[in-house]
Amino acid sequence: RHSRLFVFAAEVGFSNTSGSLLKRARQILGTGNIHKRPGKNAPILCWRTSNRKALDLLCRIYPFLIVKQRQASLAIFLQSTIAEPKRKRFNRYRTADYTRLLEHMWVTMKILNHFGEPDISWVPEPNPKAENATKNGIGL
């Protein structure tokens, strides 16, 4: 018997009160959804994209990031790991080791998002050209 598995994926998002700014960003990037959240003084709009589209965006902006580069590195590694062709067939029935790896990535990302300093020496340095080749189905 197999229990329901948690879904892991890279996600990129940003928030603003300007709907026109977020719509323009979505137009430039060609992807993402905009959601409205109530705010104290003004509604907050959130733009988000995930999975392969987030991987593509992260690979493009990675060299320019300063504050969020560690999160981006881990998100690229996560999305690249789950997008590997050999992994696709195993995602439905994950091994215990693979599930532990995904959970470790999730916990590490939570720590990074709360400005913690976890050891991420186990995360390989992103190679945007290789990630884009894999994403586009070009074997390496």
Side-chain angles (χ1 to χ4, degrees):
R1 178 181 155 147
H2 298 280
S3 62
R4 184 178 170 111
L5 298 173
F6 289 103
V7 175
F8 296 87
E11 181 178 87
V12 177
F14 56 89
S15 302
N16 202 293
T17 56
S18 170
S20 60
L21 176 70
L22 292 178
K23 287 177 186 173
R24 180 68 178 132
R26 181 177 58 190
Q27 181 184 27
I28 291 168
L29 296 168
T31 186
N33 297 307
I34 299 174
H35 304 282
K36 187 176 180 180
R37 290 185 324 185
K40 250 185 180 177
N41 298 321
I44 302 293
L45 300 168
C46 304
W47 171 90
R48 296 187 192 286
T49 192
S50 60
N51 299 315
R52 289 179 187 257
K53 291 179 181 181
L55 174 63
D56 178 53
L57 176 60
L58 287 168
C59 287
R60 287 191 277 157
I61 67 172
Y62 180 80
F64 307 102
L65 294 174
I66 297 169
V67 176
K68 297 286 187 172
Q69 195 171 54
R70 290 168 47 99
Q71 286 95 324
S73 176
L74 181 56
I76 290 168
F77 180 53
L78 166 68
Q79 193 61 44
S80 299
T81 299
I82 62 176
E84 288 178 19
K86 65 183 178 186
R87 294 281 190 204
K88 283 184 181 180
R89 65 178 176 254
F90 295 118
N91 278 334
R92 187 168 178 190
Y93 304 107
R94 293 185 193 135
T95 65
D97 287 342
Y98 183 51
T99 299
R100 276 192 290 281
L101 173 63
L102 294 174
E103 289 171 348
H104 181 60
M105 288 187 215
W106 180 76
V107 168
T108 303
M109 186 63 77
K110 284 187 72 157
I111 294 168
L112 287 168
N113 285 339
H114 288 95
F115 303 102
E117 293 290 329
D119 174 22
I120 61 166
S121 61
W122 52 274
V123 177
E125 183 69 22
N127 181 348
K129 290 180 183 179
E131 303 305 336
N132 284 330
T134 301
K135 176 184 72 72
N136 292 323
I138 302 166
L140 299 177

